[in-house]
């Protein structure tokens, strides 16, 4: 089922998100709050180093996060103000490899997915056919997630502006729409879990979305405050809910401190460049008559 | 905590033990019948090919058994009449690597351990110092398990005969004794779980043994019959308990069929060359006054 | 540039091809007879076990062949009458992963490629679009090689008969034709090296083929006799050139013994079920006017 | 044979040493200036982040440096003023694993070795027996190199001061002495190549040393100046030989720029905290009568 965390805020050591808290992402690689708590089919972490350039650095491995010493070493000495990290539970039959680990990146964008596109095998080919040359060339692996990323990029590039928060959020919604159109075209009843998170290093958008069996909608939380620290396994957000200098979006709370909020089903969270948070319902999926879903422009 | 399986019997495809049954060893790599069901820190399988020679072949990986395609491929086409396989849950702090996966092998012997030698770090050096040059040179990794194997080999080589079932069984008991002497010499209260299994390709001995917190004694089962098959995930022993052409010793039953017997705490199971099974209490550990434990000759 | 070996003959231990000879495939992983002797970007071996079924078993790794202990272990105890093995030198920019190692397999077929399709990035999309659903679903990785395999399967399935030696050979030739059509359609001057080898476990076809810079045509040899043995690193074919009970097709001679023959440029070698060998010129590529290349039926 | 690089100077991106120059360390992993140019049995890089603490971070892999994408990613965004990196060619028979990659680290120290201790297998046990408990517990793998590191630490800890440049240099020399005593005690004619490099993040010492077949002495160079940059594969030291703000010690020059100096055989280079460089002959090995070698205090 996968779990992920996205961080935008005060420069933080990666380990403060990945290793130190009681429910760190590494903890979630084997003991997530899920019926199947295991996410041991690889992991990835992307972090931005703006002083070097806009592209995030990425570290991935097909091995479990809980026993990767390199990850702990990296986590100790690497700080960033924008971090995306993910632990993978591979869908049955999909290859376990570095290529299939999230986050997927292109240029300054990093993208993660928690969930599953039911019927993806049946629409993969038409999805690929619908992509621009550029988006097609982005795909390296076989996951539905990476194909969603390519779709997202196409939706983004099609917009007049592609670097605003609005553009990113609209492109995400359109991605969801387009996936459902592809399913509809193949007479496949939608059964998707589409918790998606994307960032360009300065702003971020995430959605919590599912169609079909809504009982399978994965969890997604957010947390804001001045900065997030961790002492003796106890993580907490200093000045939580008082400001938005630091925002965390995560599949599960990393810690037991107050302020973690669950994202409403089929809604979106936007984090602007100044880290101000806004929430709004998704303008797609859920109860929308997909036969009539309009392309959001 | 680890889980293992040892098989001596009619030639069987490795997958019949490792992949096919509902509670195959691969299943136990993520869903064992333990409080911590995860054994995802690598695996190993040794199988004998007597037509080639007495040494077993070994295939190991530091990656989880549940997502290793090579293992499934191998399991499908490889048959053997003697198989030892193990999935590892690394003790905290001990490196996850191929070197640290079981079974450990030397010449015709293969050896596996489920459990933990409490206080091993404190006796490792004295254990190493006690080994012959030959046994010392066998050790490649850092696990207590591999050190136990080296100890076992020394105990075996010290015997007048080293290839009889009696010799193997006595050497295993002496191994347990010697470990406890080493702990005793460092004033360490024994707290060990020593489910050990060893084979030379033709006969096998396993023990179910613990000292200290006996509530932590790992499970160990055995099963005998004509041959073990698996159809649609349902494994069963043909003519179970009627004969001993095929014997399975496993941390947990691989299947729900009748005939799986739990090994008594602190006891030993011996499988002779004709696969006849005998059981007897261990002549060491448990309630024995370790201060007075004699070297079994 | 890659190197490979295909074997059809008396059951042989894999190590006799992969490890034992002075110029074994493992030797070619670091010391091939090439300007760039390094082929350390992974390896794969497929071997048939007809008593189990028609599908070959496959063992692959993204790590170099020269330091893989599992490969040596497997090689020692595994015998087969049909073996395909390959060591990879990744084209610049193409991911090093298990998915991208050869041989590629589908059902009873195994397929390997030594060479490069110049301009592949530009035709990849049109190649994919030309595939049937079934062939499209075969592809897992990003290599030109695997895409050639999918193309080959489509060419094969399109034939009235798909299991004869003639069908396999024609499908290979058509694969070469179709690749060049795709290049032609994009105005790309062909510059391809297409040493391909395919087997269904009972018969085999290989071609030595290049277009464009013919000086880059990879080497390909063949050898026939009663059986191939190796003593002290010296491999030799018993009764070479006297019979065809055993046939080896290899990028380079595995050994210095007499009887290794170089395949003519732009020619094909066919090995029938009785292992009889025949040679013939390719009916495509080379000096053929590709604009007029006919689809071979 | 291995190759390494040690850097102390202006903060530099790891890629400037590992990836960018024409003869970067990654280049040396497959194309070193050696008779056997291949060093594809893993790699490691340690870098100091003093703002976090004195311990270096370490990233290691058992896979070749030339195809590791994580290494390129890390190299792009990670800067440090002190870097040690190594590409490994495993001695025959010694396991290829992360544990066996250099640099070896303990607390603030990082240590690398290029070469081989001939006869190590025969002295390994006595070497281990000679170690303090603390040094013994440092060793994780099976390389002579890591055992030398443990020996070095013991020599260092035995000194009244252990953090001065003099202490580090003396400890290195004593390490060489002690290894040769151990060989002498076993009547083994010394045949060692001991290019060693060690740093505590602020100062560094390296030696170029061999006994026995002096023709096998590995190369070692050094370079000093204001700072080292790389443009289009051309690396160069700004203001070379004018100052010592930046010092590089490397098995081979990373670039063709002037100023790379070969270290004299059996000599030592010391880099102080202010990066001032001094050179002096080793007070051990070479032509010294090892029977009379004194313990340097």
């Amino acid at each position: 089922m996968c779990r992920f965390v996205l961080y935008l805020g005060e420069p933080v050591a990666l380990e403060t998100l990945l290793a130190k808290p009681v429910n760190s992402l590494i903890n979630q690689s084997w003991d997530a709050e899920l019926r199947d708590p295991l996410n041991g089919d690889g992991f990835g972490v992307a972090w931005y180093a703006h002083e070097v350039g806009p592209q995030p650095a990425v570290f991935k491995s097909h091995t479990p996060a809980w026993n990767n010493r390199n990850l702990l070493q990296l986590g100790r000495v690497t700080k960033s103000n924008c971090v995306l990290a993910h632990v993978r539970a591979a869908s049955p039959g999909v290859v376990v490899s570095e290529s299939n680990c999230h986050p997927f990146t292109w240029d300054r964008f990093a993208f993660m997915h928690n969930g599953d596109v039911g019927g993806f095998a049946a629409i993969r080919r038409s999805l690929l056919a619908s992509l621009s040359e550029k988006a097609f060339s982005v795909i390296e692996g076989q996951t539905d997630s990476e194909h969603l990323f390519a779709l997202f990029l196409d939706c983004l590039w099609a917009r007049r502006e592609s670097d605003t928060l609005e553009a990113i959020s609209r492109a995400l919604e359109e991605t969801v729409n387009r996936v459902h159109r592809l399913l509809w075209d193949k007479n496949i009843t939608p059964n998707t879990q589409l918790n998606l998170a994307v960032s360009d290093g300065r702003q971020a958008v995430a959605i919590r979305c599912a169609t079909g069996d809504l009982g399978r909608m994965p969890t997604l939380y957010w947390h804001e405050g001045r900065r997030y620290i961790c002492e003796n396994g106890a993580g907490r957000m200093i000045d939580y809910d008082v400001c938005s200098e630091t925002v965390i979006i995560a599949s599960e709370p990393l810690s037991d401190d107050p302020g973690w909020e669950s994202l409403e089903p089929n809604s979106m969270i936007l984090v602007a460049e100044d880290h101000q948070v806004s929430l709004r319902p998704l303008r797609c999926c859920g109860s929308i008559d997909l036969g009539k879903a309009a392309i959001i422009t």
Side-chain angles (χ1 to χ4, degrees), chain A:
Chain A
M1 172 53 79
C2 304
R3 304 272 76 184
F4 65 63
V5 60
L6 184 154
Y7 176 101
L8 252 180
E10 287 298 296
V12 72
L14 303 190
E15 66 178 3
T16 305
L17 306 168
L18 303 184
K20 293 294 180 186
V22 158
N23 194 33
S24 68
L25 196 67
I26 288 177
N27 186 69
Q28 296 174 44
S29 69
W30 66 281
D31 196 27
E33 296 166 7
L34 296 166
R35 187 184 52 201
D36 292 317
L38 186 60
N39 296 282
D41 293 320
F43 67 88
V45 51
W47 70 100
Y48 289 79
H50 297 294
E51 70 279 9
V52 176
Q55 268 190 305
V58 187
F59 172 62
K60 291 183 176 180
S61 177
H62 65 294
T63 61
W66 72 73
N67 66 26
N68 194 289
R69 295 200 286 181
N70 287 326
L71 184 60
L72 296 179
Q73 291 279 337
L74 194 73
R76 184 166 58 81
V77 301
T78 307
K79 287 179 95 152
S80 179
N81 80 310
C82 182
V83 183
L84 288 81
H86 180 280
V87 288
R88 183 176 180 229
S91 305
V94 188
V95 174
V96 172
S97 65
E98 247 182 59
S99 296
N100 282 346
C101 291
H102 322 199
F104 301 103
T105 59
W106 180 85
D107 190 53
R108 65 193 185 283
F109 290 98
F111 179 98
M112 306 183 289
H113 173 214
N114 169 206
D116 184 65
V117 175
F120 173 68
I123 63 162
R124 181 174 161 232
R125 201 165 188 190
S126 45
L127 188 159
L128 281 171
S130 76
L131 296 174
S132 66
E133 287 289 334
K134 199 171 163 188
F136 179 86
S137 72
V138 165
I139 299 173
E140 187 176 292
Q142 311 90 38
T143 63
D144 51 3
S145 311
E146 195 184 17
H147 287 70
L148 290 174
F149 179 45
L151 209 45
F152 162 79
L153 288 173
D154 249 355
C155 294
L156 188 69
W157 294 329
R159 309 192 68 81
R160 214 166 10 101
E161 289 175 334
S162 66
D163 53 358
T164 64
L165 192 62
E166 191 63 17
I168 294 172
S169 65
R170 298 273 196 162
L172 257 189
E173 283 171 328
E174 193 183 338
T175 301
V176 174
N177 260 359
R178 284 181 59 172
V179 161
H180 286 90
R181 280 183 172 282
L182 289 163
L183 291 165
W184 186 260
D185 287 344
K186 296 276 181 179
N187 292 316
I188 298 170
T189 305
N191 188 16
T192 68
Q193 300 88 44
L194 294 170
N195 283 19
L196 304 175
V198 61
S199 178
D200 63 358
R202 298 187 180 286
Q203 47 199 355
V205 181
I207 67 175
R208 184 182 182 212
C209 172
T211 57
D213 181 359
L214 300 184
R216 293 190 62 205
M217 187 175 307
T219 56
L220 193 60
Y221 293 83
W222 65 283
H223 201 19
E224 64 177 348
R226 191 165 315 279
R227 88 183 177 274
Y228 186 73
I229 62 170
C230 189
E231 290 156 342
N232 298 320
R236 66 187 183 97
M237 185 73 84
I238 310 269
D239 290 338
Y240 68 93
D241 288 345
V242 162
C243 56
S244 294
E245 283 170 35
T246 289
V247 179
I248 302 178
I249 299 168
S251 301
E252 311 179 2
L254 305 182
S255 41
D256 294 328
D257 56 314
W260 290 91
E261 310 246 5
S262 173
L263 210 71
E264 288 292 315
N266 291 332
S267 67
M268 168 185 281
I269 174 172
L270 302 92
V271 186
E273 278 210 52
D274 61 1
H275 301 174
Q276 285 306 305
V277 171
S278 51
L279 303 165
R280 69 180 195 227
L282 277 179
R283 287 170 293 199
C284 55
C285 64
S287 58
I288 291 179
D289 183 342
L290 293 165
K292 300 191 180 54
I295 296 176
I296 299 177
T297 52

